[in-house]
Amino acid sequence: MNAGRTARERARAELTREITEVARRQLGTEGAGGLNLRAIARELGMVSSAIYRYFPSRDDLLTALIIDAYNAVGEAVERADAAREPDDHAGRWRAVCHAVRDWALAHPHEYALIYGSPVPGYHAPADTVAPAMRDTVVYGRILASAHAAGALTPPDGFPAPPASFSGDAEAVRQVMPGLPDDLVARAIAAWTGLFGFVSFELFGQFANVVDDRAALFAHTVDTLGRLVGLPAAATG
Amino acid sequence: MNAGRTARERARAELTREITEVARRQLGTEGAGGLNLRAIARELGMVSSAIYRYFPSRDDLLTALIIDAYNAVGEAVERADAAREPDDHAGRWRAVCHAVRDWALAHPHEYALIYGSPVPGYHAPADTVAPAMRDTVVYGRILASAHAAGALTPPDGFPAPPASFSGDAEAVRQVMPGLPDDLVARAIAAWTGLFGFVSFELFGQFANVVDDRAALFAHTVDTLGRLVGLPAAATG
DNA sequence: ACCGAACCGAGAGCACTGCTCTTGACACTC
DNA sequence: GAGTGTCAAGAGCAGTGCTCTCGGTTCGGT
């Protein structure tokens, strides 16, 4: 997309990219909130006010980083999913979950930026919602395809969702078409459970409690997958 | 604990309390990171440097607030648990989960402070670990007592945790004695799932997706409770 | 080829932050 | 009552996000 246009525009695009790059590195060492326009400018050998030619405010820079982060985790998830055989639904689920955790462990501050507490005073603009959905879409696709293939055999003995849930279930079915209400509810529980685990691990809630987090995570993923009806013991 | 001592010491304790109180209110409107020593001083009619007589740094004030928040949620959970009949394990589980969510919804910024992304540059001192355990201890006590009463009938068809998990399970059994490894693993999944749900709800991940969050939460709590073996349909 | 307009970086400056240091007044202890 | 430790106040430092103005460069239309 960078091909044509004037020299000025190419320089602008290049500098914009450099700014976000330095900002992302600064985010990696300092965390959000420690994001420092003047330090970015210093590292780029320019003056702080020049940054404002490219980002009208600190929040706009943050928004760019948030979108990047959503896209990064979304891409990681998509790649992990694509690497599996399409009808290996349990394998895809497992791969996707581990992709989320691996990405989070590799980019803790970016994970915190999108799945941690919202930055004070910052309110996400509409541009973020599409990238924010990428991983969820993949997740829904896996379950929908598993359900369509008749590969979901959810364990019973679990309560049914209340009738009032059917409206929300219908909305969620946009990303996982065909699933009945009770499986939609379980899918949400599994999805939030996944991120709950990763957040606990990343934010230090497991300190001095769980040591072999990788093993427990793998087992938790299997348990949550089983909850939505994926087959229990596959090869991996 | 405030009874004796000199007037000076009482004044000091009083002012310390007032500072944390104003800080907590400021936290509620601005969120952490927006916590502003000068504004606190202004509201108290004193000069900013005077604050440093009571808290050596902004981080120490934050630590006090974190401890307060852990204690607040811990107390809410303890109260919810105590209000139920001791052998109504499903009811206690449900009450505890709803207490967590209710408290979080009532104090979103304080929840974010302790269960959201860690504050940049801040590292929790040891004083925080005991208050941080209060809710977990209650949770473990419920499951342990349910297990001891033979009230846990976990659904089967779920995978067993790997043998390597037994070490961690032994450690976790300090707060839920008697539970077998597989139930310890499921208990952690349920606990992280609970906070994953609350975090998703509070941090905006459910926006435009789930509408009737209270209903879905109640059902998720029942589902997670069933996962660890609590009876499915009780009166509530 | 030129010329006005748009864009650019530099720099000064504003209001604000956390934090430090010094000063003079007060309260408590002996 | 003298001496000592504690206190709030104030000035000040280094740093922040952001605004505005200033010359220089580049672009697009004529």
mmCIF file of all heavy atoms in Angstrom, chain A residues 6-8 35-38 42 48-49 52 57-58, chain D residues 15-28:
data_model
loop_
_atom_site.group_PDB
_atom_site.id
_atom_site.type_symbol
_atom_site.label_atom_id
_atom_site.label_comp_id
_atom_site.label_asym_id
_atom_site.label_seq_id
_atom_site.Cartn_x
_atom_site.Cartn_y
_atom_site.Cartn_z
ATOM 1 N N THR A 6 3.904 10.678 -3.025
ATOM 2 C CA THR A 6 5.060 11.572 -3.034
ATOM 3 C C THR A 6 6.102 11.162 -1.998
ATOM 4 O O THR A 6 5.839 10.327 -1.121
ATOM 5 C CB THR A 6 4.614 12.997 -2.707
ATOM 6 O OG1 THR A 6 4.286 13.054 -1.327
ATOM 7 C CG2 THR A 6 3.374 13.378 -3.510
ATOM 8 N N ALA A 7 7.252 11.780 -2.119
ATOM 9 C CA ALA A 7 8.317 11.502 -1.160
ATOM 10 C C ALA A 7 7.884 11.898 0.237
ATOM 11 O O ALA A 7 8.146 11.204 1.222
ATOM 12 C CB ALA A 7 9.583 12.263 -1.554
ATOM 13 N N ARG A 8 7.184 13.023 0.305
ATOM 14 C CA ARG A 8 6.722 13.481 1.608
ATOM 15 C C ARG A 8 5.824 12.449 2.284
ATOM 16 O O ARG A 8 5.996 12.125 3.460
ATOM 17 C CB ARG A 8 5.953 14.795 1.442
ATOM 18 C CG ARG A 8 5.440 15.328 2.737
ATOM 19 C CD ARG A 8 5.800 16.749 3.036
ATOM 20 N NE ARG A 8 4.972 17.736 2.383
ATOM 21 C CZ ARG A 8 5.277 19.024 2.358
ATOM 22 N NH1 ARG A 8 6.394 19.455 2.916
ATOM 23 N NH2 ARG A 8 4.492 19.889 1.780
ATOM 24 N N LEU A 35 4.438 5.345 29.058
ATOM 25 C CA LEU A 35 4.687 5.747 27.663
ATOM 26 C C LEU A 35 4.948 7.246 27.620
ATOM 27 O O LEU A 35 4.132 8.036 28.086
ATOM 28 C CB LEU A 35 3.474 5.393 26.813
ATOM 29 C CG LEU A 35 3.730 5.227 25.323
ATOM 30 C CD1 LEU A 35 2.760 4.227 24.754
ATOM 31 C CD2 LEU A 35 3.620 6.529 24.592
ATOM 32 N N ASN A 36 6.077 7.611 27.051
ATOM 33 C CA ASN A 36 6.629 8.949 27.231
ATOM 34 C C ASN A 36 6.949 9.575 25.884
ATOM 35 O O ASN A 36 7.918 9.215 25.222
ATOM 36 C CB ASN A 36 7.895 8.823 28.085
ATOM 37 C CG ASN A 36 8.473 10.143 28.458
ATOM 38 O OD1 ASN A 36 8.353 11.108 27.705
ATOM 39 N ND2 ASN A 36 9.095 10.205 29.605
ATOM 40 N N LEU A 37 6.146 10.559 25.489
ATOM 41 C CA LEU A 37 6.336 11.178 24.183
ATOM 42 C C LEU A 37 7.722 11.792 24.040
ATOM 43 O O LEU A 37 8.353 11.695 22.989
ATOM 44 C CB LEU A 37 5.279 12.268 23.975
ATOM 45 C CG LEU A 37 3.851 11.789 23.763
ATOM 46 C CD1 LEU A 37 3.028 12.887 23.161
ATOM 47 C CD2 LEU A 37 3.832 10.574 22.853
ATOM 48 N N ARG A 38 8.182 12.432 25.074
ATOM 49 C CA ARG A 38 9.481 13.108 24.980
ATOM 50 C C ARG A 38 10.604 12.097 24.814
ATOM 51 O O ARG A 38 11.563 12.330 24.073
ATOM 52 C CB ARG A 38 9.702 13.971 26.221
ATOM 53 C CG ARG A 38 8.776 15.175 26.267
ATOM 54 C CD ARG A 38 8.981 15.985 27.540
ATOM 55 N NE ARG A 38 9.448 17.328 27.253
ATOM 56 C CZ ARG A 38 8.709 18.423 27.363
ATOM 57 N NH1 ARG A 38 7.460 18.333 27.754
ATOM 58 N NH2 ARG A 38 9.199 19.592 27.074
ATOM 59 N N ARG A 42 13.167 11.849 21.806
ATOM 60 C CA ARG A 42 14.600 11.843 22.074
ATOM 61 C C ARG A 42 15.275 10.700 21.326
ATOM 62 O O ARG A 42 16.298 10.882 20.667
ATOM 63 C CB ARG A 42 14.830 11.709 23.581
ATOM 64 C CG ARG A 42 15.772 12.736 24.166
ATOM 65 C CD ARG A 42 15.823 12.615 25.681
ATOM 66 N NE ARG A 42 14.663 13.196 26.331
ATOM 67 C CZ ARG A 42 13.916 12.591 27.264
ATOM 68 N NH1 ARG A 42 14.210 11.360 27.643
ATOM 69 N NH2 ARG A 42 12.888 13.198 27.794
ATOM 70 N N SER A 48 10.065 16.976 20.941
ATOM 71 C CA SER A 48 8.798 16.359 21.351
ATOM 72 C C SER A 48 7.610 16.906 20.570
ATOM 73 O O SER A 48 6.695 16.170 20.219
ATOM 74 C CB SER A 48 8.586 16.561 22.842
ATOM 75 O OG SER A 48 8.221 17.899 23.113
ATOM 76 N N SER A 49 7.643 18.188 20.288
ATOM 77 C CA SER A 49 6.479 18.767 19.613
ATOM 78 C C SER A 49 6.293 18.199 18.213
ATOM 79 O O SER A 49 5.187 18.204 17.668
ATOM 80 C CB SER A 49 6.627 20.284 19.548
ATOM 81 O OG SER A 49 7.808 20.634 18.858
ATOM 82 N N TYR A 52 3.693 15.507 17.525
ATOM 83 C CA TYR A 52 2.281 15.886 17.383
ATOM 84 C C TYR A 52 1.887 16.097 15.924
ATOM 85 O O TYR A 52 0.706 16.238 15.628
ATOM 86 C CB TYR A 52 1.998 17.138 18.211
ATOM 87 C CG TYR A 52 1.991 16.831 19.692
ATOM 88 C CD1 TYR A 52 3.177 16.794 20.410
ATOM 89 C CD2 TYR A 52 0.818 16.523 20.344
ATOM 90 C CE1 TYR A 52 3.182 16.478 21.753
ATOM 91 C CE2 TYR A 52 0.806 16.217 21.681
ATOM 92 C CZ TYR A 52 1.999 16.194 22.388
ATOM 93 O OH TYR A 52 2.000 15.870 23.714
ATOM 94 N N SER A 57 -2.348 13.280 19.888
ATOM 95 C CA SER A 57 -2.213 13.227 21.341
ATOM 96 C C SER A 57 -1.647 11.878 21.748
ATOM 97 O O SER A 57 -1.556 10.945 20.944
ATOM 98 C CB SER A 57 -3.565 13.449 22.027
ATOM 99 O OG SER A 57 -4.302 12.247 22.020
ATOM 100 N N ARG A 58 -1.288 11.828 23.008
ATOM 101 C CA ARG A 58 -0.760 10.583 23.559
ATOM 102 C C ARG A 58 -1.785 9.456 23.436
ATOM 103 O O ARG A 58 -1.435 8.306 23.165
ATOM 104 C CB ARG A 58 -0.408 10.833 25.030
ATOM 105 C CG ARG A 58 0.338 9.733 25.724
ATOM 106 C CD ARG A 58 0.638 10.171 27.151
ATOM 107 N NE ARG A 58 1.204 9.106 27.946
ATOM 108 C CZ ARG A 58 0.494 8.154 28.513
ATOM 109 N NH1 ARG A 58 -0.797 8.127 28.359
ATOM 110 N NH2 ARG A 58 1.083 7.217 29.232
ATOM 111 P P DG D 15 15.576 15.179 34.141
ATOM 112 O OP1 DG D 15 16.253 13.884 34.223
ATOM 113 O OP2 DG D 15 16.126 16.302 33.369
ATOM 114 O "O5'" DG D 15 14.089 14.931 33.601
ATOM 115 C "C5'" DG D 15 13.303 13.929 34.194
ATOM 116 C "C4'" DG D 15 11.842 14.259 34.075
ATOM 117 O "O4'" DG D 15 11.566 15.534 34.699
ATOM 118 C "C3'" DG D 15 11.299 14.455 32.658
ATOM 119 O "O3'" DG D 15 10.872 13.219 32.105
ATOM 120 C "C2'" DG D 15 10.119 15.389 32.852
ATOM 121 C "C1'" DG D 15 10.267 15.896 34.271
ATOM 122 N N9 DG D 15 10.097 17.338 34.350
ATOM 123 C C8 DG D 15 11.052 18.321 34.202
ATOM 124 N N7 DG D 15 10.557 19.523 34.328
ATOM 125 C C5 DG D 15 9.218 19.322 34.570
ATOM 126 C C6 DG D 15 8.165 20.258 34.785
ATOM 127 O O6 DG D 15 8.236 21.495 34.801
ATOM 128 N N1 DG D 15 6.947 19.633 34.987
ATOM 129 C C2 DG D 15 6.761 18.262 34.991
ATOM 130 N N2 DG D 15 5.520 17.826 35.193
ATOM 131 N N3 DG D 15 7.717 17.388 34.798
ATOM 132 C C4 DG D 15 8.914 17.985 34.593
ATOM 133 P P DT D 16 10.349 13.144 30.594
ATOM 134 O OP1 DT D 16 10.432 11.721 30.218
ATOM 135 O OP2 DT D 16 11.036 14.181 29.807
ATOM 136 O "O5'" DT D 16 8.803 13.537 30.667
ATOM 137 C "C5'" DT D 16 7.903 12.713 31.392
ATOM 138 C "C4'" DT D 16 6.548 13.384 31.485
ATOM 139 O "O4'" DT D 16 6.709 14.645 32.166
ATOM 140 C "C3'" DT D 16 5.942 13.773 30.152
ATOM 141 O "O3'" DT D 16 5.226 12.664 29.634
ATOM 142 C "C2'" DT D 16 5.017 14.922 30.519
ATOM 143 C "C1'" DT D 16 5.646 15.496 31.810
ATOM 144 N N1 DT D 16 6.185 16.881 31.660
ATOM 145 C C2 DT D 16 5.337 17.947 31.737
ATOM 146 O O2 DT D 16 4.135 17.835 31.920
ATOM 147 N N3 DT D 16 5.942 19.170 31.597
ATOM 148 C C4 DT D 16 7.294 19.412 31.393
ATOM 149 O O4 DT D 16 7.732 20.546 31.278
ATOM 150 C C5 DT D 16 8.115 18.242 31.320
ATOM 151 C C7 DT D 16 9.590 18.382 31.097
ATOM 152 C C6 DT D 16 7.536 17.047 31.461
ATOM 153 P P DG D 17 4.850 12.603 28.091
ATOM 154 O OP1 DG D 17 4.482 11.209 27.782
ATOM 155 O OP2 DG D 17 5.939 13.266 27.355
ATOM 156 O "O5'" DG D 17 3.563 13.522 27.994
ATOM 157 C "C5'" DG D 17 2.369 13.139 28.653
ATOM 158 C "C4'" DG D 17 1.295 14.187 28.428
ATOM 159 O "O4'" DG D 17 1.769 15.450 28.926
ATOM 160 C "C3'" DG D 17 0.948 14.408 26.954
ATOM 161 O "O3'" DG D 17 -0.459 14.585 26.818
ATOM 162 C "C2'" DG D 17 1.733 15.660 26.592
ATOM 163 C "C1'" DG D 17 1.745 16.427 27.902
ATOM 164 N N9 DG D 17 2.936 17.271 28.052
ATOM 165 C C8 DG D 17 4.235 16.896 27.883
ATOM 166 N N7 DG D 17 5.096 17.856 28.073
ATOM 167 C C5 DG D 17 4.305 18.945 28.380
ATOM 168 C C6 DG D 17 4.672 20.287 28.680
ATOM 169 O O6 DG D 17 5.796 20.791 28.722
ATOM 170 N N1 DG D 17 3.553 21.089 28.931
ATOM 171 C C2 DG D 17 2.259 20.650 28.917
ATOM 172 N N2 DG D 17 1.324 21.562 29.196
ATOM 173 N N3 DG D 17 1.901 19.400 28.641
ATOM 174 C C4 DG D 17 2.977 18.606 28.380
ATOM 175 P P DC D 18 -1.110 14.657 25.346
ATOM 176 O OP1 DC D 18 -2.516 14.251 25.445
ATOM 177 O OP2 DC D 18 -0.203 13.975 24.409
ATOM 178 O "O5'" DC D 18 -1.078 16.215 25.036
ATOM 179 C "C5'" DC D 18 -1.604 17.132 26.005
ATOM 180 C "C4'" DC D 18 -1.245 18.552 25.626
ATOM 181 O "O4'" DC D 18 0.143 18.797 25.928
ATOM 182 C "C3'" DC D 18 -1.401 18.906 24.146
ATOM 183 O "O3'" DC D 18 -2.500 19.797 24.007
ATOM 184 C "C2'" DC D 18 -0.077 19.534 23.747
ATOM 185 C "C1'" DC D 18 0.560 19.846 25.100
ATOM 186 N N1 DC D 18 2.045 19.877 25.076
ATOM 187 C C2 DC D 18 2.708 21.071 25.366
ATOM 188 O O2 DC D 18 2.031 22.069 25.633
ATOM 189 N N3 DC D 18 4.064 21.108 25.344
ATOM 190 C C4 DC D 18 4.751 19.995 25.052
ATOM 191 N N4 DC D 18 6.076 20.074 25.059
ATOM 192 C C5 DC D 18 4.103 18.760 24.746
ATOM 193 C C6 DC D 18 2.753 18.746 24.766
ATOM 194 P P DT D 19 -2.927 20.347 22.591
ATOM 195 O OP1 DT D 19 -4.378 20.537 22.626
ATOM 196 O OP2 DT D 19 -2.292 19.534 21.532
ATOM 197 O "O5'" DT D 19 -2.246 21.793 22.565
ATOM 198 C "C5'" DT D 19 -2.422 22.644 23.690
ATOM 199 C "C4'" DT D 19 -1.838 24.021 23.397
ATOM 200 O "O4'" DT D 19 -0.395 23.984 23.576
ATOM 201 C "C3'" DT D 19 -2.086 24.527 21.974
ATOM 202 O "O3'" DT D 19 -2.526 25.869 22.049
ATOM 203 C "C2'" DT D 19 -0.720 24.401 21.297
ATOM 204 C "C1'" DT D 19 0.238 24.578 22.469
ATOM 205 N N1 DT D 19 1.548 23.887 22.308
ATOM 206 C C2 DT D 19 2.705 24.592 22.534
ATOM 207 O O2 DT D 19 2.725 25.756 22.853
ATOM 208 N N3 DT D 19 3.858 23.855 22.371
ATOM 209 C C4 DT D 19 3.950 22.523 22.016
ATOM 210 O O4 DT D 19 5.035 21.974 21.906
ATOM 211 C C5 DT D 19 2.696 21.853 21.796
ATOM 212 C C7 DT D 19 2.690 20.407 21.402
ATOM 213 C C6 DT D 19 1.573 22.557 21.954
ATOM 214 P P DC D 20 -3.123 26.606 20.732
ATOM 215 O OP1 DC D 20 -4.264 27.408 21.179
ATOM 216 O OP2 DC D 20 -3.283 25.606 19.662
ATOM 217 O "O5'" DC D 20 -1.929 27.588 20.328
ATOM 218 C "C5'" DC D 20 -1.226 28.278 21.363
ATOM 219 C "C4'" DC D 20 0.013 28.942 20.784
ATOM 220 O "O4'" DC D 20 1.118 28.013 20.857
ATOM 221 C "C3'" DC D 20 -0.099 29.377 19.327
ATOM 222 O "O3'" DC D 20 0.106 30.776 19.236
ATOM 223 C "C2'" DC D 20 0.961 28.570 18.593
ATOM 224 C "C1'" DC D 20 1.910 28.136 19.712
ATOM 225 N N1 DC D 20 2.526 26.799 19.454
ATOM 226 C C2 DC D 20 3.908 26.622 19.599
ATOM 227 O O2 DC D 20 4.592 27.586 19.945
ATOM 228 N N3 DC D 20 4.441 25.405 19.356
ATOM 229 C C4 DC D 20 3.657 24.392 18.988
ATOM 230 N N4 DC D 20 4.230 23.210 18.767
ATOM 231 C C5 DC D 20 2.247 24.546 18.829
ATOM 232 C C6 DC D 20 1.733 25.755 19.068
ATOM 233 P P DT D 21 -0.023 31.518 17.796
ATOM 234 O OP1 DT D 21 -0.705 32.793 18.044
ATOM 235 O OP2 DT D 21 -0.567 30.585 16.789
ATOM 236 O "O5'" DT D 21 1.502 31.813 17.451
ATOM 237 C "C5'" DT D 21 2.383 32.206 18.500
ATOM 238 C "C4'" DT D 21 3.820 32.120 18.034
ATOM 239 O "O4'" DT D 21 4.247 30.738 18.021
ATOM 240 C "C3'" DT D 21 4.057 32.654 16.629
ATOM 241 O "O3'" DT D 21 5.152 33.552 16.641
ATOM 242 C "C2'" DT D 21 4.346 31.408 15.801
ATOM 243 C "C1'" DT D 21 4.968 30.484 16.844
ATOM 244 N N1 DT D 21 4.848 29.035 16.535
ATOM 245 C C2 DT D 21 5.987 28.264 16.536
ATOM 246 O O2 DT D 21 7.094 28.695 16.771
ATOM 247 N N3 DT D 21 5.778 26.930 16.247
ATOM 248 C C4 DT D 21 4.569 26.333 15.961
ATOM 249 O O4 DT D 21 4.498 25.132 15.710
ATOM 250 C C5 DT D 21 3.422 27.201 15.972
ATOM 251 C C7 DT D 21 2.066 26.650 15.662
ATOM 252 C C6 DT D 21 3.617 28.498 16.255
ATOM 253 P P DC D 22 5.410 34.528 15.373
ATOM 254 O OP1 DC D 22 5.772 35.847 15.934
ATOM 255 O OP2 DC D 22 4.282 34.388 14.427
ATOM 256 O "O5'" DC D 22 6.700 33.890 14.708
ATOM 257 C "C5'" DC D 22 7.871 33.703 15.479
ATOM 258 C "C4'" DC D 22 8.751 32.676 14.817
ATOM 259 O "O4'" DC D 22 8.092 31.396 14.863
ATOM 260 C "C3'" DC D 22 9.016 32.918 13.345
ATOM 261 O "O3'" DC D 22 10.230 33.636 13.205
ATOM 262 C "C2'" DC D 22 9.078 31.513 12.729
ATOM 263 C "C1'" DC D 22 8.692 30.586 13.871
ATOM 264 N N1 DC D 22 7.707 29.524 13.505
ATOM 265 C C2 DC D 22 8.129 28.199 13.356
ATOM 266 O O2 DC D 22 9.326 27.929 13.515
ATOM 267 N N3 DC D 22 7.225 27.240 13.033
ATOM 268 C C4 DC D 22 5.935 27.575 12.868
ATOM 269 N N4 DC D 22 5.080 26.613 12.562
ATOM 270 C C5 DC D 22 5.480 28.918 13.018
ATOM 271 C C6 DC D 22 6.393 29.862 13.327
ATOM 272 P P DG D 23 10.755 34.152 11.798
ATOM 273 O OP1 DG D 23 11.214 35.530 12.005
ATOM 274 O OP2 DG D 23 9.765 33.837 10.736
ATOM 275 O "O5'" DG D 23 12.045 33.243 11.588
ATOM 276 C "C5'" DG D 23 12.530 33.036 10.306
ATOM 277 C "C4'" DG D 23 12.848 31.573 10.103
ATOM 278 O "O4'" DG D 23 11.719 30.782 10.537
ATOM 279 C "C3'" DG D 23 13.087 31.231 8.634
ATOM 280 O "O3'" DG D 23 14.362 30.631 8.482
ATOM 281 C "C2'" DG D 23 11.938 30.306 8.265
ATOM 282 C "C1'" DG D 23 11.475 29.758 9.605
ATOM 283 N N9 DG D 23 10.059 29.446 9.612
ATOM 284 C C8 DG D 23 8.999 30.348 9.617
ATOM 285 N N7 DG D 23 7.830 29.765 9.630
ATOM 286 C C5 DG D 23 8.133 28.405 9.628
ATOM 287 C C6 DG D 23 7.257 27.291 9.649
ATOM 288 O O6 DG D 23 6.030 27.280 9.669
ATOM 289 N N1 DG D 23 7.975 26.097 9.649
ATOM 290 C C2 DG D 23 9.333 26.003 9.637
ATOM 291 N N2 DG D 23 9.843 24.763 9.633
ATOM 292 N N3 DG D 23 10.164 27.025 9.630
ATOM 293 C C4 DG D 23 9.493 28.198 9.624
ATOM 294 P P DG D 24 15.036 30.612 7.057
ATOM 295 O OP1 DG D 24 16.486 30.743 7.261
ATOM 296 O OP2 DG D 24 14.286 31.546 6.209
ATOM 297 O "O5'" DG D 24 14.753 29.126 6.516
ATOM 298 C "C5'" DG D 24 15.304 28.024 7.221
ATOM 299 C "C4'" DG D 24 14.611 26.755 6.784
ATOM 300 O "O4'" DG D 24 13.207 26.863 7.112
ATOM 301 C "C3'" DG D 24 14.695 26.478 5.279
ATOM 302 O "O3'" DG D 24 15.249 25.193 5.085
ATOM 303 C "C2'" DG D 24 13.245 26.551 4.799
ATOM 304 C "C1'" DG D 24 12.454 26.284 6.063
ATOM 305 N N9 DG D 24 11.133 26.896 6.114
ATOM 306 C C8 DG D 24 10.850 28.243 6.148
ATOM 307 N N7 DG D 24 9.567 28.499 6.199
ATOM 308 C C5 DG D 24 8.975 27.245 6.198
ATOM 309 C C6 DG D 24 7.605 26.877 6.243
ATOM 310 O O6 DG D 24 6.620 27.621 6.293
ATOM 311 N N1 DG D 24 7.446 25.498 6.227
ATOM 312 C C2 DG D 24 8.467 24.591 6.184
ATOM 313 N N2 DG D 24 8.118 23.306 6.173
ATOM 314 N N3 DG D 24 9.752 24.907 6.139
ATOM 315 C C4 DG D 24 9.928 26.253 6.149
ATOM 316 P P DT D 25 15.830 24.775 3.636
ATOM 317 O OP1 DT D 25 17.085 24.053 3.868
ATOM 318 O OP2 DT D 25 15.781 25.965 2.764
ATOM 319 O "O5'" DT D 25 14.753 23.732 3.108
ATOM 320 C "C5'" DT D 25 14.460 22.603 3.912
ATOM 321 C "C4'" DT D 25 13.138 22.015 3.489
ATOM 322 O "O4'" DT D 25 12.087 22.977 3.679
ATOM 323 C "C3'" DT D 25 13.052 21.610 2.009
ATOM 324 O "O3'" DT D 25 12.990 20.196 1.945
ATOM 325 C "C2'" DT D 25 11.783 22.283 1.501
ATOM 326 C "C1'" DT D 25 11.063 22.641 2.792
ATOM 327 N N1 DT D 25 10.129 23.812 2.724
ATOM 328 C C2 DT D 25 8.787 23.590 2.706
ATOM 329 O O2 DT D 25 8.284 22.489 2.740
ATOM 330 N N3 DT D 25 8.015 24.733 2.655
ATOM 331 C C4 DT D 25 8.481 26.044 2.623
ATOM 332 O O4 DT D 25 7.694 26.987 2.577
ATOM 333 C C5 DT D 25 9.903 26.198 2.637
ATOM 334 C C7 DT D 25 10.503 27.559 2.604
ATOM 335 C C6 DT D 25 10.668 25.085 2.687
ATOM 336 P P DT D 26 13.147 19.438 0.550
ATOM 337 O OP1 DT D 26 13.767 18.133 0.830
ATOM 338 O OP2 DT D 26 13.728 20.376 -0.424
ATOM 339 O "O5'" DT D 26 11.633 19.177 0.136
ATOM 340 C "C5'" DT D 26 10.769 18.538 1.059
ATOM 341 C "C4'" DT D 26 9.335 18.678 0.593
ATOM 342 O "O4'" DT D 26 8.905 20.052 0.715
ATOM 343 C "C3'" DT D 26 9.101 18.282 -0.877
ATOM 344 O "O3'" DT D 26 8.102 17.276 -0.908
ATOM 345 C "C2'" DT D 26 8.654 19.577 -1.540
ATOM 346 C "C1'" DT D 26 8.053 20.332 -0.360
ATOM 347 N N1 DT D 26 8.016 21.825 -0.510
ATOM 348 C C2 DT D 26 6.815 22.473 -0.413
ATOM 349 O O2 DT D 26 5.769 21.899 -0.221
ATOM 350 N N3 DT D 26 6.898 23.840 -0.549
ATOM 351 C C4 DT D 26 8.039 24.594 -0.772
ATOM 352 O O4 DT D 26 7.982 25.814 -0.879
ATOM 353 C C5 DT D 26 9.263 23.843 -0.859
ATOM 354 C C7 DT D 26 10.551 24.554 -1.088
ATOM 355 C C6 DT D 26 9.199 22.501 -0.722
ATOM 356 P P DC D 27 7.849 16.407 -2.225
ATOM 357 O OP1 DC D 27 7.770 14.999 -1.814
ATOM 358 O OP2 DC D 27 8.805 16.847 -3.260
ATOM 359 O "O5'" DC D 27 6.392 16.874 -2.658
ATOM 360 C "C5'" DC D 27 5.362 16.872 -1.678
ATOM 361 C "C4'" DC D 27 4.254 17.808 -2.106
ATOM 362 O "O4'" DC D 27 4.745 19.160 -2.092
ATOM 363 C "C3'" DC D 27 3.724 17.560 -3.518
ATOM 364 O "O3'" DC D 27 2.397 17.090 -3.443
ATOM 365 C "C2'" DC D 27 3.832 18.919 -4.216
ATOM 366 C "C1'" DC D 27 4.051 19.892 -3.065
ATOM 367 N N1 DC D 27 4.905 21.067 -3.397
ATOM 368 C C2 DC D 27 4.357 22.361 -3.375
ATOM 369 O O2 DC D 27 3.163 22.504 -3.094
ATOM 370 N N3 DC D 27 5.155 23.423 -3.674
ATOM 371 C C4 DC D 27 6.431 23.226 -3.971
ATOM 372 N N4 DC D 27 7.185 24.299 -4.238
ATOM 373 C C5 DC D 27 7.021 21.931 -3.993
ATOM 374 C C6 DC D 27 6.226 20.885 -3.704
ATOM 375 P P DG D 28 1.681 16.443 -4.707
ATOM 376 O OP1 DG D 28 0.744 15.407 -4.231
ATOM 377 O OP2 DG D 28 2.712 16.130 -5.719
ATOM 378 O "O5'" DG D 28 0.826 17.682 -5.258
ATOM 379 C "C5'" DG D 28 -0.108 18.311 -4.394
ATOM 380 C "C4'" DG D 28 -0.766 19.487 -5.092
ATOM 381 O "O4'" DG D 28 0.206 20.566 -5.208
ATOM 382 C "C3'" DG D 28 -1.251 19.201 -6.507
ATOM 383 O "O3'" DG D 28 -2.494 19.868 -6.714
ATOM 384 C "C2'" DG D 28 -0.155 19.782 -7.400
ATOM 385 C "C1'" DG D 28 0.356 20.957 -6.564
ATOM 386 N N9 DG D 28 1.765 21.257 -6.771
ATOM 387 C C8 DG D 28 2.790 20.351 -6.988
ATOM 388 N N7 DG D 28 3.964 20.915 -7.127
ATOM 389 C C5 DG D 28 3.703 22.273 -6.987
ATOM 390 C C6 DG D 28 4.591 23.377 -7.048
ATOM 391 O O6 DG D 28 5.810 23.363 -7.214
ATOM 392 N N1 DG D 28 3.906 24.578 -6.862
ATOM 393 C C2 DG D 28 2.562 24.704 -6.637
ATOM 394 N N2 DG D 28 2.102 25.930 -6.487
ATOM 395 N N3 DG D 28 1.712 23.675 -6.591
ATOM 396 C C4 DG D 28 2.358 22.502 -6.770
#
